[in-house]
Amino acid sequence: METMQELIPFAKEMFNQKPSRKMVKIYMLGSVLAFFGVVISLVETVCSPFTSEEQLQEEKEEEEKRPPLTKEHTVPQKQRDLIVEKSKEQDVMQRNLVIRQRAS
């Protein structure tokens, strides 16, 4: 329902058709869940600026604790990246073989 103007005619139509108890319970459950979703999203929106500031402070503290990167530290990272890429390629090749075997 996009607006409350659509909700009121819907409720009137639903009561005119005299729905069963089960249907009323299902509609009420859906309405309650939607209401809780709205409340939770509002709380999250209100509290999010505070949590993001805390995360930024934590990240700054972690960066200050780390030693500065040198060439010795960056070279192993490149090697790790190559190893990860090779393992991904092998995984893809292995997956393709399994798919071909199942297809035949």
Side-chain angles (χ1 to χ4, degrees):
M1 301 290 154
E2 290 182 8
T3 62
M4 287 298 288
Q5 295 171 351
E6 293 177 3
L7 185 62
I8 294 170
F10 173 72
K12 286 181 181 178
E13 181 182 331
M14 191 176 97
F15 285 119
N16 287 338
Q17 292 180 0
K18 302 195 186 210
S20 65
R21 281 188 169 270
K22 288 183 181 181
M23 290 302 290
V24 172
K25 287 180 182 178
I26 290 173
Y27 283 124
M28 290 302 294
L29 177 65
S31 301
V32 169
L33 290 175
F35 177 75
F36 282 138
V38 169
V39 170
I40 290 171
S41 65
L42 287 174
V43 169
E44 185 177 328
T45 303
V46 169
C47 295
S48 66
F50 302 114
T51 57
S52 63
E53 287 178 12
E54 291 173 3
Q55 290 174 352
L56 288 174
Q57 289 175 354
E58 289 174 3
E59 289 175 2
K60 287 180 184 177
E61 290 173 1
E62 289 177 5
E63 288 177 5
E64 291 173 358
K65 291 178 183 178
R66 289 187 215 150
L69 292 177
T70 62
K71 280 189 175 183
E72 296 172 357
H73 291 120
T74 56
V75 172
Q77 180 64 31
K78 290 180 183 177
Q79 290 174 349
R80 285 186 217 137
D81 292 342
L82 289 173
I83 292 171
V84 169
E85 287 178 18
K86 287 180 182 179
S87 66
K88 286 181 182 178
E89 288 175 5
Q90 290 175 351
D91 289 342
V92 170
M93 289 174 34
Q94 196 172 22
R95 210 175 301 135
N96 287 340
L97 287 174
V98 169
I99 292 172
R100 287 181 187 162
Q101 289 174 351
R102 289 182 182 173
S104 59

